[in-house]
Amino acid sequence: MKRKHNQLLIFLLLVSVRSIAQSPTPAQLVGTWIGESTEVDIGWVRPLPWRMTFRADSTVEIALMANGERPKTVRWQVKDRAVQIDTVQFGAAQWTLRGDQLHINAWQPQRYRRFTDVPMDSATVRKAISSRTWSTDSLIYNLFDDGSVCLKNERTGNTTLHYWQLVPVESSIFLVIRGTHENPVNFSHFPLQITQAGSNMLTVRGWNGKRWGEFGFVRTGNLKPDDHCRTNDFQLCNTFLPPGDQKYPYYEYKKGRLGAIRRLVAREFVPVSGVTQAGLVRFRFVVNCEGKAGMFEMQTVDENYEPCRFDTRLTDQLRRIVQERITEWEPGKGTGNDTNNTYDTVCLLTFRLKDGQVAEIFP
Amino acid sequence: MVIPSALESGQAKSAAQSFNDPLSHYAAKLRNNRNLEPNELHSRRRLVQLEREPLRPSRRRGPNRTIVEVRDSTEMRLINLLERSFHYLSDQNYEQAVAALEQAAQLNPKEHFHAARTYLRALHDYPRALHHLNAYDALTPDFDDSDGLFPVSYLKGLCYRNMGNHAEAVRQFSIGIDSLALKHGSEWVNYKQYVSRAVSYLALQQPDKALDDLVIAAKNCPNFSPLVTYYKAKAFEQQGRPDEAKRTYQDALFFWQANRVKGIGQPEDQYNPVFEDDIDNASKQ
């Protein structure tokens, strides 16, 4: 319970930074607001799976959009045009109402949408969507009957495992996808309000990461009882974590760390004669919380740190060694009191090349 | 270049705490604590802001919060460059970071040190690191500056060592060690400096001198050190004492594993990285 309360306070404090805008009147705030997104940093929008219900009796109910999460009810008031929720006060100019959209302008701006009830029957919706394959313009959803969902991105070919549930809000039903292969309850996706559920077409309303609106899901197949999600080998545990929140370069390799990598490269890298290029080949990748590496990127610069292209006979060898031969990573751990938890971690491995040979390897 | 008097006169601590004022916060950090963690500063929002906008002009606040008075555009530009370099470092975009630091060093020669450290630690570019260290050292020819932990001469020694010039490396390491040891006693010298000099002595086939340094290093090290013990074993090996070498390698391995139990899994010195299987392989030979 204490943890929940702390979560609520952190949530409120995150938005309690002064900014300039026009605040709404108390009457305009009354009602239910569904969280759309929060802009963590430039280019990084994270889902905001919260619901806030402001009541005229000066109570506000704040809840995570997930089944089994008990809402927290606290008091709210507007005083001198400033809004106070529980013990946190928001500046008068911090709230902006534009139509049915509520902006909380802060260092991490948050967007809420006024909730419009579309009555749906949960059992009917479940029956209509479960054990089906649904497609949007970018994703394929395999909604399994056991509550797992396989998301396949057709553009990248990436397939990831998550969990789905139908969350009631008043008479409406929201499709909430959250969790990862590693933890079934963390990192919610953008909640989608189901407005129509037919046998071949599903219409939802919500934020898809780029824009708000109604989207159609087309049924493209049925799932058999023995079907299961076949994910790629690599999946992030912290789906919506921006790079800055990932642990700072963490570097461990089970079999002897950097020393072992150096020996492996010395053993397997074949110098290319006649190549006089020099510079750095840097691999940036993520070791996820389970110790699997993926999302490899390669960057090459010359001796003056200008981007350049190296002979592919060099880079292909290095790419193969980094991606295929170095496999046993240890996941990054938290620091301080958090050493028992593991996290997705960005890692670097840099090769300094000289005359077609690896002169040095460092993180 | 005007160094803000408030920083010089001991208000740096409160400056570092004034997170709302980027000028004071970063400037104080930069000038007074060069071991700034890049993570502290990570925000794309801030970086984009720095790239798009010049810093705001000088601000002066009440006595408790007034820290930095930016007196001219050169200083504003300098702080902008330093901030950007830290953001790039935290993004692990080292090429952009050193480009910003090179420019910063042209505006303020003291920033040669920061550029040198980035070349040394992040890019392992020893000739460039040495160039900047020499430029920084030339500012105070009669004084061996320090980054708070190691003297500049030590960092220069590391550059020479990694460029294969062990004789010059020993000379540079000795400048840092001797200046402190003669004045206050060898127990005040960081043990890693003795280890580094010992590594160069070993490369010069002078195991006796290396062992002398490692004995002092072992005394100065607060815990049993696998690093010191490993190089002791190397020295025994060079002296032709294989039994002692083997026993000492085993000790080093034991200390490493003991550290692992304590949750220490990384080499104790990034400039002299010794790994578990380095020790293991050496002991088997």
Side-chain angles (χ1 to χ4, degrees):
Chain A
M1 184 55 100
K2 192 181 172 189
R3 192 173 69 89
K4 288 272 170 61
H5 187 72
N6 288 344
Q7 275 183 349
L8 175 67
L9 280 178
I10 289 167
F11 161 73
L12 294 174
L13 282 169
L14 266 177
V15 296
S16 63
V17 182
R18 186 181 166 274
S19 65
I20 299 166
Q22 283 192 337
S23 59
T25 62
Q28 285 174 309
L29 278 180
V30 170
T32 296
W33 299 87
I34 304 293
E36 269 185 20
S37 61
T38 181
E39 190 184 349
V40 178
D41 207 337
I42 286 185
W44 281 94
V45 176
R46 188 186 283 176
L48 185 63
W50 288 88
R51 168 178 66 80
M52 292 197 296
T53 303
F54 291 90
R55 300 199 184 97
D57 65 357
S58 296
T59 60
V60 57
E61 189 179 86
I62 302 174
L64 260 178
M65 297 282 286
N67 290 330
E69 296 286 347
R70 288 187 59 167
K72 175 93 180 166
T73 302
V74 294
R75 299 193 70 76
W76 73 287
Q77 63 168 339
V78 177
K79 196 176 177 185
D80 298 332
R81 297 178 63 228
V83 180
Q84 185 172 337
I85 299 179
D86 200 8
T87 56
V88 180
Q89 185 161 308
F90 299 93
Q94 233 175 313
W95 302 63
T96 315
L97 194 64
R98 293 188 190 118
D100 62 349
Q101 208 174 59
L102 178 67
H103 285 228
I104 301 180
N105 300 301
W107 183 60
Q108 293 190 352
Q110 300 195 350
R111 297 154 65 105
Y112 290 83
R113 181 76 57 168
R114 187 182 286 282
F115 170 66
T116 309
D117 201 11
V118 180
M120 300 291 289
D121 177 57
S122 178
T124 310
V125 173
R126 174 173 287 279
K127 193 176 172 190
I129 68 173
S130 186
S131 299
R132 305 266 194 276
T133 298
W134 300 91
S135 297
T136 64
D137 55 357
S138 57
L139 283 176
I140 294 174
Y141 295 70
N142 287 323
L143 296 173
F144 294 96
D145 200 37
D146 63 359
S148 61
V149 53
C150 215
L151 295 188
K152 183 171 183 183
N153 187 319
E154 289 192 287
R155 189 176 55 81
T156 62
N158 202 26
T159 304
T160 52
L161 172 68
H162 309 276
Y163 297 88
W164 67 278
Q165 55 185 244
L166 297 177
V167 178
V169 176
E170 296 181 20
S171 309
S172 297
I173 299 294
F174 280 78
L175 173 63
V176 173
I177 293 175
R178 64 199 299 230
T180 62
H181 63 303
E182 183 262 343
N183 184 338
V185 296
N186 62 6
F187 301 108
S188 181
H189 291 228
F190 299 99
L192 300 169
Q193 184 181 5
I194 296 173
T195 55
Q196 201 179 341
S199 55
N200 292 317
M201 185 76 186
L202 183 68
T203 310
V204 298
R205 183 185 293 164
W207 175 263
N208 72 350
K210 290 177 185 167
R211 64 185 180 88
W212 169 271
E214 289 221 335
F215 306 96
F217 284 60
V218 179
R219 196 183 91 180
T220 50
N222 292 330
L223 298 168
K224 293 174 192 160
D226 56 344
D227 279 346
H228 63 276
C229 185
R230 292 188 190 85
T231 60
N232 298 109
D233 283 343
F234 182 78
Q235 180 172 348
L236 287 178
C237 305
N238 311 354
T239 310
F240 293 104
L241 211 58
D245 287 359
Q246 291 163 0
K247 299 290 166 185
Y248 189 66
Y250 172 87
Y251 200 82
E252 288 216 52
Y253 176 58
K254 275 185 187 170
K255 289 183 179 173
R257 282 89 183 158
L258 195 55
I261 293 173
R262 285 174 177 154
R263 272 189 292 279
L264 179 75
V265 173
R267 215 167 43 238
E268 301 209 355
F269 183 83
V270 182
V272 179
S273 57
V275 176
T276 55
Q277 287 174 303
L280 301 179
V281 178
R282 177 176 298 132
F283 291 90
R284 183 191 296 262
F285 50 95
V286 179
V287 173
N288 74 4
C289 69
E290 294 176 313
K292 286 182 180 171
M295 298 172 70
F296 290 92
E297 289 173 10
M298 187 180 75
Q299 181 195 12
T300 49
V301 291
D302 64 15
E303 278 184 305
N304 295 316
Y305 304 104
E306 297 293 334
C308 74
R309 288 176 74 89
F310 276 93
D311 191 308
T312 52
R313 287 173 294 172
L314 296 170
T315 51
D316 287 351
Q317 281 194 72
L318 293 176
R319 192 195 298 272
R320 186 188 65 79
I321 289 170
V322 173
Q323 290 190 207
E324 296 172 21
R325 300 288 295 132
I326 307 172
T327 52
E328 294 194 33
W329 297 96
E330 281 185 6
K333 287 181 181 166
T335 52
N337 296 327
D338 190 30
T339 50
N340 291 330
N341 293 321
T342 57
Y343 294 94
D344 297 340
T345 312
V346 178
C347 291
L348 295 186
L349 193 57
T350 308
F351 299 82
R352 185 174 284 283
L353 297 182
K354 203 166 186 180
D355 299 331
Q357 300 198 40
V358 176
E360 195 173 1
I361 306 170
F362 52 93
Chain B
M1 175 66 199
V2 180
I3 300 298
S5 57
L7 286 175
E8 300 284 281
S9 61
Q11 291 187 28
K13 193 176 175 190
S14 55
Q17 290 165 349
S18 176
F19 286 90
N20 292 327
D21 184 344
L23 295 186
S24 60
H25 171 54
Y26 298 125
K29 278 278 194 182
L30 288 168
R31 295 202 174 88
N32 296 281
N33 179 8
R34 288 170 184 274
N35 295 318
L36 191 67
E37 286 297 324
N39 248 7
E40 282 185 54
L41 301 169
H42 190 285
S43 161
R44 285 188 191 192
R45 195 183 303 283
R46 182 73 188 125
L47 184 56
V48 169
Q49 190 187 350
L50 284 165
E51 285 174 343
R52 284 183 187 159
E53 303 166 8
L55 289 171
R56 283 170 292 172
S58 161
R59 284 171 291 165
R60 182 172 274 283
R61 296 182 183 174
N64 292 332
R65 299 195 64 193
T66 302
I67 307 302
V68 175
E69 186 183 0
V70 180
R71 299 186 185 182
D72 55 38
S73 60
T74 307
E75 178 149 9
M76 282 202 284
R77 185 165 149 65
L78 175 65
I79 293 174
N80 189 312
L81 284 166
L82 294 175
E83 269 202 71
R84 282 167 59 173
S85 72
F86 274 142
H87 282 285
Y88 288 131
L89 284 174
S90 74
D91 265 354
Q92 301 163 316
N93 188 344
Y94 300 133
E95 289 74 30
Q96 296 271 30
V98 289
L101 287 169
E102 292 269 10
Q103 289 180 54
Q106 285 176 8
L107 294 177
N108 179 5
K110 283 190 173 182
E111 301 311 333
H112 278 297
F113 185 82
H114 196 190
R117 222 174 66 154
T118 307
Y119 276 121
L120 183 62
R121 291 175 61 158
L123 290 166
H124 293 223
D125 188 337
Y126 308 111
R128 279 191 173 87
L130 188 59
H131 164 78
H132 284 283
L133 285 170
N134 284 333
Y136 179 70
D137 209 20
L139 298 174
T140 51
D142 300 325
F143 185 73
D144 195 10
D145 288 286
S146 163
D147 69 347
L149 191 60
F150 295 118
V152 168
S153 56
Y154 176 70
L155 302 179
K156 283 167 74 173
L158 290 172
C159 293
Y160 281 115
R161 192 184 76 184
N162 284 292
M163 289 158 68
N165 187 346
H166 288 281
E168 183 59 25
V170 166
R171 201 180 75 77
Q172 292 293 340
F173 290 141
S174 299
I175 291 171
I177 291 171
D178 294 346
S179 63
L180 200 58
L182 292 173
K183 201 171 177 183
H184 300 293
S186 62
E187 68 273 24
W188 288 91
V189 181
N190 189 315
Y191 77 100
K192 291 173 186 173
Q193 292 186 55
Y194 281 111
V195 173
S196 291
R197 190 166 71 175
V199 172
S200 283
Y201 278 136
L202 287 172
L204 293 167
Q205 300 294 319
Q206 297 177 13
D208 298 345
K209 287 182 177 178
L211 205 52
D212 290 345
D213 275 355
L214 291 165
V215 168
I216 303 172
K219 278 185 198 163
N220 291 2
C221 180
N223 301 306
F224 293 112
S225 162
L227 170 70
V228 174
T229 318
Y230 171 76
Y231 280 111
K232 259 188 178 177
K234 287 246 171 221
F236 286 139
E237 227 177 308
Q238 273 194 14
Q239 285 179 330
R241 297 154 70 183
D243 292 342
E244 281 167 277
K246 191 173 176 68
R247 201 165 52 242
T248 314
Y249 277 131
Q250 284 166 351
D251 286 347
L253 198 59
F254 176 79
F255 294 149
W256 179 282
Q257 286 160 353
N259 276 349
R260 175 167 275 267
V261 172
K262 291 182 210 163
I264 304 167
Q266 297 284 1
E268 58 192 283
D269 183 8
Q270 77 166 108
Y271 294 125
N272 295 296
V274 169
F275 299 89
E276 185 177 9
D277 61 344
D278 289 330
I279 306 169
D280 199 25
N281 287 347
S283 69
K284 282 173 187 163
Q285 286 167 12

